[in-house]
Amino acid sequence: MESYATAGQVWAAGLIFARIGALLMVIPGVGEQSVPPRVRLGFALLFALMLYPVLAPSMPPVPGTVGSLAAQVIKEILIGLVIGTVLRLFLASLATAGEVVSLQTTLSIAQTANPGQAQPTATLATFLGLLGLVLIMTTDLHHMFISAMVRSYALFPVIKPLPVADSAQLAIRTVGDSFALGIQLAAPVLVFSLVFNIATGLVGRIMPQFPVFFVASPIMVLLGLSIFALSLGAVGLVWVDRYRQLADIFV
């Protein structure tokens, strides 16, 4: 390698590749399970080569022992996984909203293969998950991912230890916020379901001979999906705004 690059240059590029590669393995879009690992590693190598001129001055020298070398590589991989996982965890808000809407409209039994997961999920949850990826790409949120890669070296310097407690706190807060946002996004259907169920319960109480189940089920599906469709634009706008706020933490 000395004919092409010095040991320090190879070491610096390797550290950059370790963090960027781990991040791209789990980040939304490129990190989907439907994307072949070789493609993701190819993207990571390309990004590492592009970012090397910018980040090389902040890279430490080659450590003197194998143990120190392995510890720094593992730390860089963990930092990349933390950033990518936090950005991916917020996608669970759309999956939560889809699951809630499916339960309220009695469509939870309808399962569809989710390209982002290893098992099928509710059709509406799969739809909202794909919608989230489309919104990320069409609103240029994925440009913030590249900025987060560079900014991460200011937030998590290579020469400093990994802030485990802060990273865990950020992950816990992201999970809680994503679940709360999922319930908020499904609120129109939840309110309709509550009112509709109370109304059908009163009808069944007043007229015991009335076939409430056979009449209420198709109306529930029709009106529930109609309300979901009408609120879909607002759902997308609110989710993109909240996701941009999350990405601003790393940018």
Side-chain angles (χ1 to χ4, degrees), residues 97-148:
E99 293 287 349
V100 171
V101 173
S102 298
L103 287 172
Q104 299 303 318
T105 56
T106 68
L107 293 176
S108 58
I109 196 173
Q111 302 285 314
T112 304
N114 192 335
Q117 299 182 11
Q119 59 183 4
T121 58
T123 302
L124 293 179
T126 303
F127 169 73
L128 287 179
L130 295 176
L131 178 63
L133 294 178
V134 172
L135 290 174
I136 288 175
M137 298 302 174
T138 55
T139 58
D140 293 335
L141 281 175
H142 59 290
H143 293 173
M144 301 181 70
F145 296 164
I146 302 175
S147 179

Side-chain angles (χ1 to χ4, degrees), residues 26-113:
V26 295
I27 204 170
V30 180
E32 302 301 322
Q33 293 187 2
S34 57
V35 179
R38 291 184 179 181
V39 175
R40 286 180 275 178
L41 288 175
F43 269 108
L45 179 61
L46 179 62
F47 277 114
L49 292 176
M50 289 191 301
L51 296 178
Y52 172 78
V54 179
L55 301 175
S58 63
M59 294 295 107
V62 181
T65 62
V66 178
S68 299
L69 186 147
Q72 288 193 18
V73 171
I74 292 174
K75 188 191 76 171
E76 291 300 301
I77 292 175
L78 290 176
I79 291 175
L81 291 176
V82 166
I83 298 174
T85 302
V86 168
L87 292 174
R88 173 165 288 279
L89 282 175
F90 207 75
L91 284 174
S93 59
L94 292 175
T96 301
E99 293 287 349
V100 171
V101 173
S102 298
L103 287 172
Q104 299 303 318
T105 56
T106 68
L107 293 176
S108 58
I109 196 173
Q111 302 285 314
T112 304

Side-chain angles (χ1 to χ4, degrees), residues 182-224:
I183 300 299
Q184 293 171 4
L185 296 178
V189 180
L190 277 174
V191 173
F192 161 74
S193 175
L194 178 62
V195 174
F196 186 82
N197 287 327
I198 292 175
T200 53
L202 292 175
V203 171
R205 191 72 173 175
I206 296 172
M207 295 184 295
Q209 304 299 327
F210 186 75
V212 176
F213 178 79
F214 294 102
V215 175
S217 294
I219 296 177
M220 182 70 175
V221 173
L222 180 62
L223 295 181

